Amino acid sequence: MPESPVIDPGAIQRLRKWGGVGLPRRMIEIFLMHSSERIVQIREGIQAEDAAGVETGAHSLKSSAGNVGASRLQALCQAVEMLAEAGDFAGLSGLVGEIEGAYQDAREELERILEGMEG
């Protein structure tokens, strides 16, 4: 089975349908501007064993990822949120690299999409 795209093009199309050309651009810009803070919050929360901080960061990033169609990142954030809720820091430590990789992939693809909107 082929791997799903990093960014679901349907999500970008839905944003365009709901708010015109400007909405997808704005949502991507917001994601790019604030998402790295959530990654740091998750990573630092795991290191400090701060379940509430991890859960808050994961929940916020999950919502933002969903808005821009970063489905894999969204699913990983859901898993992080659930592990944080359960206080499973061993499980969380195992997901740090995976969520950071999915975040980087999403960020790079969204930057490409945004550049395409410029032209």
Side-chain angles (χ1 to χ4, degrees), residues 39-100:
I39 290 289
V40 169
Q41 183 179 12
I42 292 167
R43 186 183 325 112
E44 289 179 351
I46 292 169
Q47 290 170 348
E49 295 194 1
D50 172 14
V54 173
E55 192 173 350
T56 299
H59 182 79
S60 179
L61 186 56
K62 177 182 74 175
S63 297
S64 297
N67 287 338
V68 296
S71 304
R72 181 167 180 266
L73 179 59
Q74 183 182 21
L76 285 167
C77 288
Q78 174 71 38
V80 167
E81 196 175 5
M82 290 169 54
L83 290 169
E85 195 174 298
D88 183 353
F89 288 97
L92 286 167
S93 294
L95 278 182
V96 171
E98 200 171 340
I99 198 168
E100 288 178 344

Side-chain angles (χ1 to χ4, degrees), residues 24-35 64 68:
R25 177 192 314 269
R26 185 68 186 130
M27 295 302 287
I28 292 170
E29 288 171 344
I30 290 169
F31 178 88
L32 294 173
M33 198 178 325
H34 298 289
S35 57
S64 297
V68 296

